[in-house]
mmCIF file with all atom_site columns, all heavy atoms in Angstrom:
data_model
loop_
_atom_site.group_PDB
_atom_site.id
_atom_site.type_symbol
_atom_site.label_atom_id
_atom_site.label_alt_id
_atom_site.label_comp_id
_atom_site.label_asym_id
_atom_site.label_entity_id
_atom_site.label_seq_id
_atom_site.pdbx_PDB_ins_code
_atom_site.Cartn_x
_atom_site.Cartn_y
_atom_site.Cartn_z
_atom_site.occupancy
_atom_site.B_iso_or_equiv
_atom_site.pdbx_formal_charge
_atom_site.auth_seq_id
_atom_site.auth_comp_id
_atom_site.auth_asym_id
_atom_site.auth_atom_id
_atom_site.pdbx_PDB_model_num
ATOM   1   N N   . LYS A 1 14  ? -7.173 11.498 3.158   1.00 0.00 ? 42  LYS A N   1
ATOM   2   C CA  . LYS A 1 14  ? -8.109 10.846 2.235   1.00 0.00 ? 42  LYS A CA  1
ATOM   3   C C   . LYS A 1 14  ? -9.183 10.183 3.061   1.00 0.00 ? 42  LYS A C   1
ATOM   4   O O   . LYS A 1 14  ? -8.880 9.627  4.127   1.00 0.00 ? 42  LYS A O   1
ATOM   5   C CB  . LYS A 1 14  ? -7.397 9.740  1.447   1.00 0.00 ? 42  LYS A CB  1
ATOM   6   C CG  . LYS A 1 14  ? -6.677 10.210 0.233   1.00 0.00 ? 42  LYS A CG  1
ATOM   7   C CD  . LYS A 1 14  ? -6.279 8.998  -0.611  1.00 0.00 ? 42  LYS A CD  1
ATOM   8   C CE  . LYS A 1 14  ? -4.845 9.159  -1.048  1.00 0.00 ? 42  LYS A CE  1
ATOM   9   N NZ  . LYS A 1 14  ? -4.158 7.969  -1.426  1.00 0.00 ? 42  LYS A NZ  1
ATOM   10  N N   . HIS A 1 176 ? 2.100  -2.515 3.005   1.00 0.00 ? 204 HIS A N   1
ATOM   11  C CA  . HIS A 1 176 ? 0.975  -2.812 2.095   1.00 0.00 ? 204 HIS A CA  1
ATOM   12  C C   . HIS A 1 176 ? 0.184  -4.032 2.581   1.00 0.00 ? 204 HIS A C   1
ATOM   13  O O   . HIS A 1 176 ? -0.501 -4.689 1.788   1.00 0.00 ? 204 HIS A O   1
ATOM   14  C CB  . HIS A 1 176 ? 1.460  -3.133 0.656   1.00 0.00 ? 204 HIS A CB  1
ATOM   15  C CG  . HIS A 1 176 ? 2.069  -1.986 -0.074  1.00 0.00 ? 204 HIS A CG  1
ATOM   16  N ND1 . HIS A 1 176 ? 3.171  -2.138 -0.872  1.00 0.00 ? 204 HIS A ND1 1
ATOM   17  C CD2 . HIS A 1 176 ? 1.722  -0.674 -0.152  1.00 0.00 ? 204 HIS A CD2 1
ATOM   18  C CE1 . HIS A 1 176 ? 3.499  -0.971 -1.410  1.00 0.00 ? 204 HIS A CE1 1
ATOM   19  N NE2 . HIS A 1 176 ? 2.623  -0.070 -0.979  1.00 0.00 ? 204 HIS A NE2 1
ATOM   20  N N   . HIS A 1 202 ? 1.640  -6.192 -5.447  1.00 0.00 ? 230 HIS A N   1
ATOM   21  C CA  . HIS A 1 202 ? 1.048  -4.858 -5.315  1.00 0.00 ? 230 HIS A CA  1
ATOM   22  C C   . HIS A 1 202 ? 2.050  -3.905 -5.938  1.00 0.00 ? 230 HIS A C   1
ATOM   23  O O   . HIS A 1 202 ? 3.046  -3.532 -5.314  1.00 0.00 ? 230 HIS A O   1
ATOM   24  C CB  . HIS A 1 202 ? 0.819  -4.528 -3.830  1.00 0.00 ? 230 HIS A CB  1
ATOM   25  C CG  . HIS A 1 202 ? 0.305  -3.146 -3.586  1.00 0.00 ? 230 HIS A CG  1
ATOM   26  N ND1 . HIS A 1 202 ? -0.966 -2.886 -3.112  1.00 0.00 ? 230 HIS A ND1 1
ATOM   27  C CD2 . HIS A 1 202 ? 0.878  -1.931 -3.745  1.00 0.00 ? 230 HIS A CD2 1
ATOM   28  C CE1 . HIS A 1 202 ? -1.136 -1.578 -3.000  1.00 0.00 ? 230 HIS A CE1 1
ATOM   29  N NE2 . HIS A 1 202 ? -0.026 -0.979 -3.375  1.00 0.00 ? 230 HIS A NE2 1
ATOM   30  N N   . ILE A 1 203 ? 1.820  -3.552 -7.208  1.00 0.00 ? 231 ILE A N   1
ATOM   31  C CA  . ILE A 1 203 ? 2.795  -2.679 -7.869  1.00 0.00 ? 231 ILE A CA  1
ATOM   32  C C   . ILE A 1 203 ? 2.121  -1.389 -8.328  1.00 0.00 ? 231 ILE A C   1
ATOM   33  O O   . ILE A 1 203 ? 1.342  -1.358 -9.257  1.00 0.00 ? 231 ILE A O   1
ATOM   34  C CB  . ILE A 1 203 ? 3.571  -3.412 -8.998  1.00 0.00 ? 231 ILE A CB  1
ATOM   35  C CG1 . ILE A 1 203 ? 2.657  -4.146 -9.978  1.00 0.00 ? 231 ILE A CG1 1
ATOM   36  C CG2 . ILE A 1 203 ? 4.555  -4.406 -8.402  1.00 0.00 ? 231 ILE A CG2 1
ATOM   37  C CD1 . ILE A 1 203 ? 3.415  -4.794 -11.157 1.00 0.00 ? 231 ILE A CD1 1
ATOM   38  N N   . GLY A 1 204 ? 2.422  -0.342 -7.579  1.00 0.00 ? 232 GLY A N   1
ATOM   39  C CA  . GLY A 1 204 ? 1.910  0.994  -7.899  1.00 0.00 ? 232 GLY A CA  1
ATOM   40  C C   . GLY A 1 204 ? 3.107  1.913  -7.918  1.00 0.00 ? 232 GLY A C   1
ATOM   41  O O   . GLY A 1 204 ? 4.177  1.525  -8.362  1.00 0.00 ? 232 GLY A O   1
ATOM   42  N N   . ASN A 1 205 ? 2.929  3.101  -7.382  1.00 0.00 ? 233 ASN A N   1
ATOM   43  C CA  . ASN A 1 205 ? 4.057  4.000  -7.261  1.00 0.00 ? 233 ASN A CA  1
ATOM   44  C C   . ASN A 1 205 ? 5.050  3.426  -6.256  1.00 0.00 ? 233 ASN A C   1
ATOM   45  O O   . ASN A 1 205 ? 6.240  3.326  -6.499  1.00 0.00 ? 233 ASN A O   1
ATOM   46  C CB  . ASN A 1 205 ? 3.519  5.363  -6.843  1.00 0.00 ? 233 ASN A CB  1
ATOM   47  C CG  . ASN A 1 205 ? 4.524  6.424  -7.106  1.00 0.00 ? 233 ASN A CG  1
ATOM   48  O OD1 . ASN A 1 205 ? 5.417  6.259  -7.930  1.00 0.00 ? 233 ASN A OD1 1
ATOM   49  N ND2 . ASN A 1 205 ? 4.418  7.504  -6.375  1.00 0.00 ? 233 ASN A ND2 1
ATOM   50  N N   . GLY A 1 206 ? 4.517  3.006  -5.097  1.00 0.00 ? 234 GLY A N   1
ATOM   51  C CA  . GLY A 1 206 ? 5.278  2.132  -4.200  1.00 0.00 ? 234 GLY A CA  1
ATOM   52  C C   . GLY A 1 206 ? 4.933  0.707  -4.618  1.00 0.00 ? 234 GLY A C   1
ATOM   53  O O   . GLY A 1 206 ? 3.955  0.503  -5.321  1.00 0.00 ? 234 GLY A O   1
ATOM   54  N N   . GLY A 1 207 ? 5.717  -0.267 -4.209  1.00 0.00 ? 235 GLY A N   1
ATOM   55  C CA  . GLY A 1 207 ? 5.372  -1.629 -4.625  1.00 0.00 ? 235 GLY A CA  1
ATOM   56  C C   . GLY A 1 207 ? 5.952  -2.671 -3.701  1.00 0.00 ? 235 GLY A C   1
ATOM   57  O O   . GLY A 1 207 ? 7.042  -2.483 -3.142  1.00 0.00 ? 235 GLY A O   1
ATOM   58  N N   . LEU A 1 268 ? 12.199 4.159  -11.196 1.00 0.00 ? 296 LEU A N   1
ATOM   59  C CA  . LEU A 1 268 ? 11.883 4.494  -12.600 1.00 0.00 ? 296 LEU A CA  1
ATOM   60  C C   . LEU A 1 268 ? 12.347 5.905  -12.949 1.00 0.00 ? 296 LEU A C   1
ATOM   61  O O   . LEU A 1 268 ? 12.882 6.156  -14.021 1.00 0.00 ? 296 LEU A O   1
ATOM   62  C CB  . LEU A 1 268 ? 10.370 4.379  -12.849 1.00 0.00 ? 296 LEU A CB  1
ATOM   63  C CG  . LEU A 1 268 ? 9.756  2.972  -12.834 1.00 0.00 ? 296 LEU A CG  1
ATOM   64  C CD1 . LEU A 1 268 ? 8.229  3.059  -12.907 1.00 0.00 ? 296 LEU A CD1 1
ATOM   65  C CD2 . LEU A 1 268 ? 10.281 2.129  -14.002 1.00 0.00 ? 296 LEU A CD2 1
ATOM   66  N N   . PRO A 1 276 ? 8.570  9.210  -12.679 1.00 0.00 ? 304 PRO A N   1
ATOM   67  C CA  . PRO A 1 276 ? 8.336  7.998  -11.899 1.00 0.00 ? 304 PRO A CA  1
ATOM   68  C C   . PRO A 1 276 ? 7.082  7.260  -12.378 1.00 0.00 ? 304 PRO A C   1
ATOM   69  O O   . PRO A 1 276 ? 6.786  6.158  -11.922 1.00 0.00 ? 304 PRO A O   1
ATOM   70  C CB  . PRO A 1 276 ? 8.102  8.539  -10.484 1.00 0.00 ? 304 PRO A CB  1
ATOM   71  C CG  . PRO A 1 276 ? 7.551  9.913  -10.690 1.00 0.00 ? 304 PRO A CG  1
ATOM   72  C CD  . PRO A 1 276 ? 8.136  10.430 -11.983 1.00 0.00 ? 304 PRO A CD  1
ATOM   73  N N   . ASP A 1 277 ? 6.342  7.880  -13.277 1.00 0.00 ? 305 ASP A N   1
ATOM   74  C CA  . ASP A 1 277 ? 5.023  7.361  -13.656 1.00 0.00 ? 305 ASP A CA  1
ATOM   75  C C   . ASP A 1 277 ? 5.151  6.413  -14.843 1.00 0.00 ? 305 ASP A C   1
ATOM   76  O O   . ASP A 1 277 ? 5.677  6.792  -15.889 1.00 0.00 ? 305 ASP A O   1
ATOM   77  C CB  . ASP A 1 277 ? 4.112  8.552  -14.003 1.00 0.00 ? 305 ASP A CB  1
ATOM   78  C CG  . ASP A 1 277 ? 2.667  8.132  -14.137 1.00 0.00 ? 305 ASP A CG  1
ATOM   79  O OD1 . ASP A 1 277 ? 2.371  7.241  -14.966 1.00 0.00 ? 305 ASP A OD1 1
ATOM   80  O OD2 . ASP A 1 277 ? 1.828  8.690  -13.420 1.00 0.00 ? 305 ASP A OD2 1
ATOM   81  N N   . SER A 1 278 ? 4.627  5.200  -14.705 1.00 0.00 ? 306 SER A N   1
ATOM   82  C CA  . SER A 1 278 ? 4.833  4.202  -15.758 1.00 0.00 ? 306 SER A CA  1
ATOM   83  C C   . SER A 1 278 ? 4.175  4.609  -17.078 1.00 0.00 ? 306 SER A C   1
ATOM   84  O O   . SER A 1 278 ? 4.617  4.192  -18.144 1.00 0.00 ? 306 SER A O   1
ATOM   85  C CB  . SER A 1 278 ? 4.331  2.830  -15.306 1.00 0.00 ? 306 SER A CB  1
ATOM   86  O OG  . SER A 1 278 ? 2.941  2.836  -15.242 1.00 0.00 ? 306 SER A OG  1
ATOM   87  N N   . ARG A 1 279 ? 3.152  5.456  -17.011 1.00 0.00 ? 307 ARG A N   1
ATOM   88  C CA  . ARG A 1 279 ? 2.539  5.922  -18.266 1.00 0.00 ? 307 ARG A CA  1
ATOM   89  C C   . ARG A 1 279 ? 3.524  6.784  -19.058 1.00 0.00 ? 307 ARG A C   1
ATOM   90  O O   . ARG A 1 279 ? 3.623  6.677  -20.275 1.00 0.00 ? 307 ARG A O   1
ATOM   91  C CB  . ARG A 1 279 ? 1.272  6.738  -17.978 1.00 0.00 ? 307 ARG A CB  1
ATOM   92  C CG  . ARG A 1 279 ? 0.099  5.859  -17.628 1.00 0.00 ? 307 ARG A CG  1
ATOM   93  C CD  . ARG A 1 279 ? -1.021 6.650  -17.020 1.00 0.00 ? 307 ARG A CD  1
ATOM   94  N NE  . ARG A 1 279 ? -0.641 7.142  -15.695 1.00 0.00 ? 307 ARG A NE  1
ATOM   95  C CZ  . ARG A 1 279 ? -1.504 7.556  -14.783 1.00 0.00 ? 307 ARG A CZ  1
ATOM   96  N NH1 . ARG A 1 279 ? -2.773 7.555  -15.044 1.00 0.00 ? 307 ARG A NH1 1
ATOM   97  N NH2 . ARG A 1 279 ? -1.085 7.959  -13.603 1.00 0.00 ? 307 ARG A NH2 1
ATOM   98  N N   . ASP A 1 280 ? 4.267  7.650  -18.332 1.00 0.00 ? 308 ASP A N   1
ATOM   99  C CA  . ASP A 1 280 ? 5.269  8.491  -19.006 1.00 0.00 ? 308 ASP A CA  1
ATOM   100 C C   . ASP A 1 280 ? 6.418  7.634  -19.527 1.00 0.00 ? 308 ASP A C   1
ATOM   101 O O   . ASP A 1 280 ? 6.996  7.943  -20.568 1.00 0.00 ? 308 ASP A O   1
ATOM   102 C CB  . ASP A 1 280 ? 5.829  9.538  -18.027 1.00 0.00 ? 308 ASP A CB  1
ATOM   103 C CG  . ASP A 1 280 ? 4.741  10.467 -17.513 1.00 0.00 ? 308 ASP A CG  1
ATOM   104 O OD1 . ASP A 1 280 ? 3.735  10.640 -18.223 1.00 0.00 ? 308 ASP A OD1 1
ATOM   105 O OD2 . ASP A 1 280 ? 4.892  10.999 -16.397 1.00 0.00 ? 308 ASP A OD2 1
ATOM   106 N N   . ALA A 1 324 ? -2.865 -2.828 -7.695  1.00 0.00 ? 352 ALA A N   1
ATOM   107 C CA  . ALA A 1 324 ? -2.413 -1.422 -7.567  1.00 0.00 ? 352 ALA A CA  1
ATOM   108 C C   . ALA A 1 324 ? -2.209 -0.812 -8.954  1.00 0.00 ? 352 ALA A C   1
ATOM   109 O O   . ALA A 1 324 ? -2.385 -1.505 -9.971  1.00 0.00 ? 352 ALA A O   1
ATOM   110 C CB  . ALA A 1 324 ? -1.176 -1.292 -6.704  1.00 0.00 ? 352 ALA A CB  1
ATOM   111 N N   . GLY A 1 325 ? -1.826 0.461  -8.992  1.00 0.00 ? 353 GLY A N   1
ATOM   112 C CA  . GLY A 1 325 ? -1.820 1.246  -10.237 1.00 0.00 ? 353 GLY A CA  1
ATOM   113 C C   . GLY A 1 325 ? -1.247 0.529  -11.449 1.00 0.00 ? 353 GLY A C   1
ATOM   114 O O   . GLY A 1 325 ? -1.923 0.387  -12.468 1.00 0.00 ? 353 GLY A O   1
ATOM   115 N N   . ILE A 1 326 ? -0.014 0.055  -11.338 1.00 0.00 ? 354 ILE A N   1
ATOM   116 C CA  . ILE A 1 326 ? 0.613  -0.602 -12.494 1.00 0.00 ? 354 ILE A CA  1
ATOM   117 C C   . ILE A 1 326 ? 0.054  -2.020 -12.666 1.00 0.00 ? 354 ILE A C   1
ATOM   118 O O   . ILE A 1 326 ? -0.238 -2.451 -13.784 1.00 0.00 ? 354 ILE A O   1
ATOM   119 C CB  . ILE A 1 326 ? 2.160  -0.634 -12.337 1.00 0.00 ? 354 ILE A CB  1
ATOM   120 C CG1 . ILE A 1 326 ? 2.706  0.795  -12.235 1.00 0.00 ? 354 ILE A CG1 1
ATOM   121 C CG2 . ILE A 1 326 ? 2.813  -1.391 -13.484 1.00 0.00 ? 354 ILE A CG2 1
ATOM   122 C CD1 . ILE A 1 326 ? 4.208  0.892  -11.950 1.00 0.00 ? 354 ILE A CD1 1
ATOM   123 N N   . GLY A 1 327 ? -0.129 -2.719 -11.567 1.00 0.00 ? 355 GLY A N   1
ATOM   124 C CA  . GLY A 1 327 ? -0.648 -4.089 -11.634 1.00 0.00 ? 355 GLY A CA  1
ATOM   125 C C   . GLY A 1 327 ? -2.033 -4.155 -12.267 1.00 0.00 ? 355 GLY A C   1
ATOM   126 O O   . GLY A 1 327 ? -2.351 -5.082 -13.015 1.00 0.00 ? 355 GLY A O   1
ATOM   127 N N   . ASN A 1 329 ? -3.399 -1.646 -14.224 1.00 0.00 ? 357 ASN A N   1
ATOM   128 C CA  . ASN A 1 329 ? -3.535 -0.906 -15.488 1.00 0.00 ? 357 ASN A CA  1
ATOM   129 C C   . ASN A 1 329 ? -2.395 -1.070 -16.478 1.00 0.00 ? 357 ASN A C   1
ATOM   130 O O   . ASN A 1 329 ? -2.538 -0.685 -17.638 1.00 0.00 ? 357 ASN A O   1
ATOM   131 C CB  . ASN A 1 329 ? -3.652 0.600  -15.188 1.00 0.00 ? 357 ASN A CB  1
ATOM   132 C CG  . ASN A 1 329 ? -4.820 0.905  -14.280 1.00 0.00 ? 357 ASN A CG  1
ATOM   133 O OD1 . ASN A 1 329 ? -5.954 0.689  -14.651 1.00 0.00 ? 357 ASN A OD1 1
ATOM   134 N ND2 . ASN A 1 329 ? -4.538 1.387  -13.076 1.00 0.00 ? 357 ASN A ND2 1
ATOM   135 N N   . GLY A 1 330 ? -1.268 -1.557 -16.022 1.00 0.00 ? 358 GLY A N   1
ATOM   136 C CA  . GLY A 1 330 ? -0.083 -1.595 -16.889 1.00 0.00 ? 358 GLY A CA  1
ATOM   137 C C   . GLY A 1 330 ? -0.080 -2.825 -17.782 1.00 0.00 ? 358 GLY A C   1
ATOM   138 O O   . GLY A 1 330 ? 0.564  -3.834 -17.485 1.00 0.00 ? 358 GLY A O   1
ATOM   139 N N   . ILE A 1 331 ? -0.794 -2.739 -18.887 1.00 0.00 ? 359 ILE A N   1
ATOM   140 C CA  . ILE A 1 331 ? -0.959 -3.891 -19.790 1.00 0.00 ? 359 ILE A CA  1
ATOM   141 C C   . ILE A 1 331 ? 0.409  -4.402 -20.262 1.00 0.00 ? 359 ILE A C   1
ATOM   142 O O   . ILE A 1 331 ? 0.696  -5.601 -20.222 1.00 0.00 ? 359 ILE A O   1
ATOM   143 C CB  . ILE A 1 331 ? -1.844 -3.488 -21.004 1.00 0.00 ? 359 ILE A CB  1
ATOM   144 C CG1 . ILE A 1 331 ? -3.260 -3.161 -20.505 1.00 0.00 ? 359 ILE A CG1 1
ATOM   145 C CG2 . ILE A 1 331 ? -1.862 -4.592 -22.075 1.00 0.00 ? 359 ILE A CG2 1
ATOM   146 C CD1 . ILE A 1 331 ? -4.162 -2.525 -21.533 1.00 0.00 ? 359 ILE A CD1 1
ATOM   147 N N   . ARG A 1 356 ? -7.914 -2.861 -18.261 1.00 0.00 ? 384 ARG A N   1
ATOM   148 C CA  . ARG A 1 356 ? -7.431 -2.072 -17.121 1.00 0.00 ? 384 ARG A CA  1
ATOM   149 C C   . ARG A 1 356 ? -8.458 -2.098 -15.996 1.00 0.00 ? 384 ARG A C   1
ATOM   150 O O   . ARG A 1 356 ? -9.656 -1.937 -16.235 1.00 0.00 ? 384 ARG A O   1
ATOM   151 C CB  . ARG A 1 356 ? -7.227 -0.610 -17.527 1.00 0.00 ? 384 ARG A CB  1
ATOM   152 C CG  . ARG A 1 356 ? -6.212 -0.431 -18.634 1.00 0.00 ? 384 ARG A CG  1
ATOM   153 C CD  . ARG A 1 356 ? -5.965 1.058  -18.886 1.00 0.00 ? 384 ARG A CD  1
ATOM   154 N NE  . ARG A 1 356 ? -5.444 1.290  -20.224 1.00 0.00 ? 384 ARG A NE  1
ATOM   155 C CZ  . ARG A 1 356 ? -4.172 1.190  -20.557 1.00 0.00 ? 384 ARG A CZ  1
ATOM   156 N NH1 . ARG A 1 356 ? -3.277 0.880  -19.657 1.00 0.00 ? 384 ARG A NH1 1
ATOM   157 N NH2 . ARG A 1 356 ? -3.777 1.417  -21.795 1.00 0.00 ? 384 ARG A NH2 1
HETATM 158 P P1  . ADP B 2 .   ? 0.424  4.628  -4.953  1.00 0.00 ? 553 ADP B P1  1
HETATM 159 O O1  . ADP B 2 .   ? 1.520  3.681  -4.601  1.00 0.00 ? 553 ADP B O1  1
HETATM 160 O O2  . ADP B 2 .   ? 0.842  6.067  -4.879  1.00 0.00 ? 553 ADP B O2  1
HETATM 161 O O3  . ADP B 2 .   ? -0.913 4.318  -4.342  1.00 0.00 ? 553 ADP B O3  1
HETATM 162 P P2  . ADP B 2 .   ? -0.838 3.751  -7.425  1.00 0.00 ? 553 ADP B P2  1
HETATM 163 O O4  . ADP B 2 .   ? -1.225 2.410  -6.944  1.00 0.00 ? 553 ADP B O4  1
HETATM 164 O O5  . ADP B 2 .   ? -1.911 4.737  -7.717  1.00 0.00 ? 553 ADP B O5  1
HETATM 165 O O6  . ADP B 2 .   ? 0.267  4.414  -6.527  1.00 0.00 ? 553 ADP B O6  1
HETATM 166 O O7  . ADP B 2 .   ? 0.003  3.528  -8.780  1.00 0.00 ? 553 ADP B O7  1
HETATM 167 C C1  . ADP B 2 .   ? 0.560  4.558  -9.526  1.00 0.00 ? 553 ADP B C1  1
HETATM 168 C C2  . ADP B 2 .   ? 1.182  3.939  -10.768 1.00 0.00 ? 553 ADP B C2  1
HETATM 169 O O8  . ADP B 2 .   ? 0.139  3.300  -11.530 1.00 0.00 ? 553 ADP B O8  1
HETATM 170 C C3  . ADP B 2 .   ? 1.853  4.932  -11.688 1.00 0.00 ? 553 ADP B C3  1
HETATM 171 O O9  . ADP B 2 .   ? 3.115  4.442  -12.123 1.00 0.00 ? 553 ADP B O9  1
HETATM 172 C C4  . ADP B 2 .   ? 0.912  4.995  -12.859 1.00 0.00 ? 553 ADP B C4  1
HETATM 173 O O10 . ADP B 2 .   ? 1.594  5.213  -14.057 1.00 0.00 ? 553 ADP B O10 1
HETATM 174 C C5  . ADP B 2 .   ? 0.295  3.622  -12.883 1.00 0.00 ? 553 ADP B C5  1
HETATM 175 N N1  . ADP B 2 .   ? -0.969 3.711  -13.604 1.00 0.00 ? 553 ADP B N1  1
HETATM 176 C C6  . ADP B 2 .   ? -2.119 4.266  -13.184 1.00 0.00 ? 553 ADP B C6  1
HETATM 177 N N2  . ADP B 2 .   ? -3.041 4.243  -14.184 1.00 0.00 ? 553 ADP B N2  1
HETATM 178 C C7  . ADP B 2 .   ? -2.442 3.647  -15.242 1.00 0.00 ? 553 ADP B C7  1
HETATM 179 C C8  . ADP B 2 .   ? -2.841 3.338  -16.580 1.00 0.00 ? 553 ADP B C8  1
HETATM 180 N N3  . ADP B 2 .   ? -4.081 3.638  -17.003 1.00 0.00 ? 553 ADP B N3  1
HETATM 181 N N4  . ADP B 2 .   ? -1.943 2.714  -17.384 1.00 0.00 ? 553 ADP B N4  1
HETATM 182 C C9  . ADP B 2 .   ? -0.703 2.409  -16.957 1.00 0.00 ? 553 ADP B C9  1
HETATM 183 N N5  . ADP B 2 .   ? -0.269 2.701  -15.709 1.00 0.00 ? 553 ADP B N5  1
HETATM 184 C C10 . ADP B 2 .   ? -1.110 3.309  -14.881 1.00 0.00 ? 553 ADP B C10 1
#
Side-chain angles (χ1 to χ4, degrees):
K42 275 192 226 159
H204 293 140
H230 176 112
I231 50 176
N233 198 22
L296 290 172
D305 191 303
S306 70
R307 283 166 291 198
D308 299 334
I354 300 175
N357 302 296
I359 295 170
R384 299 186 203 276

